[in-house]
Amino acid sequence: MAGDIIQLKVRLLGISPMIWRRVLVPASMPLRELHGVLQVAMGWEGIHLFVFDIHAVRYGSFELFAANPDAPLHQFGLRENERFSYIYDMGDHWEHEIRIEAINPPPKKSYPVCIGGSGACPPEDCGGPHGYHERRDEADGYDAWRDMGVMADFLEDVVAADAPDRPVSDFLSPDVEAAMERIAARKPFVEGKFARGAVNKRFRAGDHRDLMYQQMW
């Protein structure tokens, strides 16, 4: 029914360890707004097309010739433990499995709300699950440790110079600058944790509604 509250567990497929979120949304919420909720909950930026697959019908971005996503959740008569899919970015193909965990769970003060989750969202445009795993493995591999060695040597040179008035830039070399750039590029693949409080702060600010129409390609 339209007045129900639905508890969803969202799991990003093809990634290990598992990245997942648990959110509560009104059954009256249209799929277009649910798209915004998933973007905020997962940590995406809303810059790509999307599509839901529910009961073998696709709803989503009109560029994909999908059905209108303004249909509310209660229209589909979904029951507990039913699943449907949500794909974001047709190039990287980030597929999410969405499972109905409960209908009318214990009430909260406002909706949508995130009540659980784990794992940081992959960076946008990193090549999908395969590209993400490759970049993550490289970020903890031999080349990454070699760059850390270059930075350690650089810091030793700065300290050994014993010249507090001399700018650090004087010690930079092309090798050090290149190592710094590579280390910065690896940062999204080795850092970051899921922060439920930050997600709910964005929900309260209405960010999920701002993302409803934002996709660019």
Side-chain angles (χ1 to χ4, degrees):
M1 296 178 61
D4 289 339
I5 299 300
I6 302 177
Q7 179 173 307
L8 304 174
K9 182 173 182 180
V10 185
R11 180 167 67 97
L12 182 59
L13 301 183
I15 299 293
S16 179
M18 184 169 67
I19 298 173
W20 64 275
R21 306 287 186 263
R22 181 171 285 117
V23 296
L24 304 181
V25 299
S28 59
M29 178 175 285
L31 293 179
R32 188 187 302 277
E33 186 173 352
L34 180 60
H35 156 66
V37 167
L38 297 174
Q39 290 288 301
V40 171
M42 294 302 298
W44 300 119
E45 298 175 15
I47 59 176
H48 295 290
L49 305 181
F50 72 96
V51 66
F52 291 92
D53 190 328
I54 305 178
H55 297 159
V57 178
R58 289 159 54 90
Y59 303 83
S61 303
F62 72 90
E63 295 91 339
L64 301 175
F65 303 101
N68 192 326
D70 292 328
L73 274 170
H74 69 79
Q75 171 181 308
F76 303 99
L78 296 165
R79 300 181 179 181
E80 290 186 10
N81 292 317
E82 276 198 74
R83 293 172 169 82
F84 59 97
S85 72
Y86 166 74
I87 299 172
Y88 170 65
D89 185 350
M90 300 304 110
D92 280 3
H93 198 86
W94 297 110
E95 183 173 0
H96 308 67
E97 177 194 81
I98 303 175
R99 180 165 66 90
I100 311 297
E101 285 195 317
I103 297 176
N104 287 327
K108 298 291 182 180
K109 292 183 178 179
S110 63
Y111 302 96
V113 62
C114 179
I115 60 172
S118 180
C121 185
E124 294 273 9
D125 301 321
C126 68
H130 178 72
Y132 171 71
H133 281 121
E134 281 193 342
R135 295 286 300 276
R136 192 180 63 184
D137 291 344
E138 191 277 337
D140 193 34
Y142 172 76
D143 289 342
W145 285 102
R146 185 173 60 183
D147 285 342
M148 292 301 294
V150 170
M151 292 304 301
D153 291 342
F154 163 68
L155 293 174
E156 286 182 3
D157 290 343
V158 173
V159 172
D162 194 22
D165 296 330
R166 187 177 175 185
V168 173
S169 58
D170 285 354
F171 298 89
L172 290 175
S173 68
D175 287 344
V176 171
E177 291 181 342
M180 292 174 64
E181 291 177 359
R182 290 191 294 267
I183 289 171
R186 295 184 185 108
K187 187 175 180 180
F189 298 91
V190 296
E191 294 185 358
K193 295 181 179 179
F194 168 65
R196 180 164 58 94
V199 169
N200 285 323
K201 182 178 181 180
R202 293 188 64 194
F203 282 154
R204 290 191 295 271
D207 288 2
H208 59 290
R209 295 189 183 94
D210 294 338
L211 291 172
M212 287 167 58
Y213 300 95
Q214 183 172 305
Q215 70 267 8
M216 297 167 58
W217 58 81

